[in-house]
Amino acid sequence: MPMMDTPLLRVRALCKDFPYRGFWGQSIRVLDGISMEVHSGEIRAIVGESGSGKTTLARCCLRLIEPSGGTVEFDGQDLALLNPGALRAKRREFQMVFQDPFASLNPAMTVEEILREPLQIHNIGTREFQDRRIRELMNDVSLNESLIKRRPAQLSGGQQQRVGIARGLALRPRLLVADEPVSALDVSVQAQILNLLANLKKRYGLTLILISHSLYAVHYLCTTISVMYQGRIIEEAPAATFFKGPRHPYSRILLDAMPVLDLTKPNPTGTLKTADAPVLRVRQGCAFHPRCPQAFAICRDRVPLPAEINPGERVACFLYG
Ligand code: SF4
């Protein structure tokens, strides 16, 4: 039996290698020894630039792809030890909302069919029960019932993402992982979808993991932040601590690049020049050293390991011992 303080999700030394296209026998390490714990009720933001491994981490955690090494435990249970039937049953408890709502929805299905599908796959309830649940889900994500017979192409981007979220909630999961849930949407719709996720978190008692390339998209929602860089978590901290002043040089650049809404203050988006530099895999030393304004000799030779500098605050940087 899991103990009371068991994290809902515990990841240890997770690695994922993908074969290099065109280079037989060679692979690239996309996740490199990720360890993290997500507790019930948390809203964990996993932030990093494109190619940092965020989506691969989410997919490995939910066993949508097989990790190359390490373990993933959900509620104290190692997912790799479950047989296919037990893993399928367990999937009810963790679901994913995908980045591109249109691509993630079957274009041939109506909203009703899309929301009924997970209930049917898991043999949940009678047809009447499912009808009620579909209407309840549409209400939960503020989708007008008049849209129930529409297909994804007949919906706006925001409505498509609401359907994606409703489908993710259909089985009443304990953990919902949203992969860049607003990046494909108009700016005017992004705040609505993020507010919806925050409300649903309360109503469903969810634990949320939000994957984002932008701190701005998650800054007012998350309780904890993990920053990824080239397949590693380089900083992890409670959101309140992080936004007062992140420790890692890369996190500081990310925060400086975050747009500010206070028009009386200068907008520091100009500091993006470092964050925008081309991302090449660094094979030796700290992965950030070619771009780091504070790099010193040891950074080129050795990889800094995450160290706890305060309770709940871990940083992988030689500036912190
Ligand atoms: Fe910069 Fe060195 Fe810290 Fe890496 S370890 S972030 S190069 S100071």
Side-chain angles (χ1 to χ4, degrees), residues 98-102 157-158 161 180-187 190 213:
F98 296 91
Q99 177 177 6
D100 182 344
F102 185 66
Q161 193 55 295
E180 304 268 15
V182 297
S183 65
L185 303 177
D186 287 348
V187 175
Q190 291 183 1
H213 65 275

Side-chain angles (χ1 to χ4, degrees), residues 220-262:
Y220 73 100
L221 273 188
C222 60
T223 55
T224 319
I225 290 199
S226 299
V227 180
M228 285 190 71
Y229 190 79
Q230 294 203 2
R232 298 192 181 112
I233 291 178
I234 49 96
E235 180 159 3
E236 188 171 272
T241 309
F242 183 91
F243 285 108
K244 269 189 215 148
R247 311 279 187 159
H248 195 282
Y250 175 64
S251 306
R252 281 191 229 129
I253 288 168
L254 273 187
L255 188 63
D256 281 349
M258 192 172 100
V260 286
L261 288 180
D262 184 348

Side-chain angles (χ1 to χ4, degrees), residues 75-100:
D75 204 15
Q77 202 163 31
D78 186 341
L79 295 183
L81 302 181
L82 297 178
N83 64 41
L87 181 60
R88 200 167 70 97
K90 199 76 185 163
R91 281 197 192 286
R92 285 178 62 166
E93 298 184 44
F94 45 86
Q95 292 287 312
M96 189 149 176
V97 174
F98 296 91
Q99 177 177 6
D100 182 344

Side-chain angles (χ1 to χ4, degrees), residues 248-250 285-296 298-300 302-304 316-320:
H248 195 282
Y250 175 64
C286 171
F288 191 56
H289 84 258
R291 300 164 71 183
C292 180
Q294 288 164 279
F296 49 106
I298 192 175
C299 306
R300 283 187 288 276
R302 290 179 49 194
V303 177
C317 172
F318 290 123
L319 293 172
Y320 304 92

Side-chain angles (χ1 to χ4, degrees), residues 53-127:
K54 315 178 292 292
T55 297
T56 304
L57 173 61
R59 286 169 186 253
C60 283
C61 286
L62 303 191
R63 302 301 286 198
L64 297 174
I65 53 175
E66 283 294 309
S68 309
T71 58
V72 177
E73 292 175 16
F74 185 82
D75 204 15
Q77 202 163 31
D78 186 341
L79 295 183
L81 302 181
L82 297 178
N83 64 41
L87 181 60
R88 200 167 70 97
K90 199 76 185 163
R91 281 197 192 286
R92 285 178 62 166
E93 298 184 44
F94 45 86
Q95 292 287 312
M96 189 149 176
V97 174
F98 296 91
Q99 177 177 6
D100 182 344
F102 185 66
S104 72
L105 301 174
N106 185 333
M109 292 169 93
T110 63
V111 172
E112 181 181 11
E113 289 164 343
I114 289 167
L115 299 184
R116 193 185 300 281
E117 191 181 36
L119 301 171
Q120 283 178 327
I121 289 172
H122 288 268
N123 288 321
I124 294 174
T126 60
R127 182 94 186 166

